[in-house]
Each structure stands twice: as C-alpha cells, then as structure tokens.
Amino acid sequence: GETTTYTVKVTNQGSADDSDIQVVVVIAPELVPVSSSAGKIDGQTVTFPVVATLAPKQAVSYTIVAKGVKVGDGHTVFKLSSDVLKSPITAEESTTVY
C-alpha cells in the first residue's frame, strides 16, 4: 500500500538536435500508477507528451508515483523513441513490493 517514485530523465547525449522524443512507461502489475508530473495515465501505461526538439546535452525529467497493490517483484518497462533512433531504447526497473 505504500508508494514509490520513479524519476525518468532523458538527455540528448548526441551532438545534434533530436526531435519527436516520446517516453512511454508500462508499470509493473504489482503497482498501480497514481500520479505523474506530466504524463497521461491509462491503466498501467503512462505516456508523456512528445518533446518536439531536444538540443545536444539538453535534458527533460518526469516523475511517476506508483502504489504497491500486490506482493512480488515487479518489472516496470521504460521505452524511448525519437526521430534519430533507429529502434526504441528499452530499460527495466525492478521494484519489490512487500
């Protein structure tokens, strides 16, 4: 029943502008998203607004607060896509709910 906060930070590590940056997060079934700094919550999915342009070394950050609802080791999946990336970048975060 307690909450945890995920911070998502996207940094353009390249040397040129990137565009149409999209972050989508699928929260583990052991948790339920309760709020987000800028994202739209739809069930277990949090979708953040598309960033039109991100200059080199520029960053954007978001937060998601999720509440534990089921005991287990949940894996939240973060997906990043943009015009420059040939395929989306995916990362997972393991969160244990007691």
Side-chain angles (χ1 to χ4, degrees):
E2 293 186 28
T3 61
T4 190
T5 301
Y6 296 101
T7 300
V8 182
K9 183 176 182 182
V10 178
T11 303
N12 180 349
Q13 297 178 344
S15 58
D17 286 358
D18 196 356
S19 57
D20 294 330
I21 297 98
Q22 175 75 67
V23 177
V24 177
V25 181
V26 180
I27 303 293
E30 290 79 6
L31 301 146
V32 62
V34 293
S35 67
S36 173
S37 61
K40 178 183 173 225
I41 298 171
D42 182 13
Q44 293 300 105
T45 303
V46 181
T47 304
F48 292 96
V50 172
V51 176
T53 304
L54 200 60
K57 310 307 177 215
Q58 185 179 17
V60 293
S61 292
Y62 308 109
T63 59
I64 301 168
V65 176
K67 180 179 178 178
V69 293
K70 180 171 66 172
V71 173
D73 183 25
H75 296 268
T76 294
V77 178
F78 302 82
K79 295 180 185 177
L80 169 70
S81 61
S82 75
D83 284 346
V84 170
L85 297 172
K86 294 187 187 324
S87 60
I89 296 172
T90 303
E92 284 190 22
E93 177 68 25
S94 177
T95 304
T96 303
V97 178
Y98 299 97

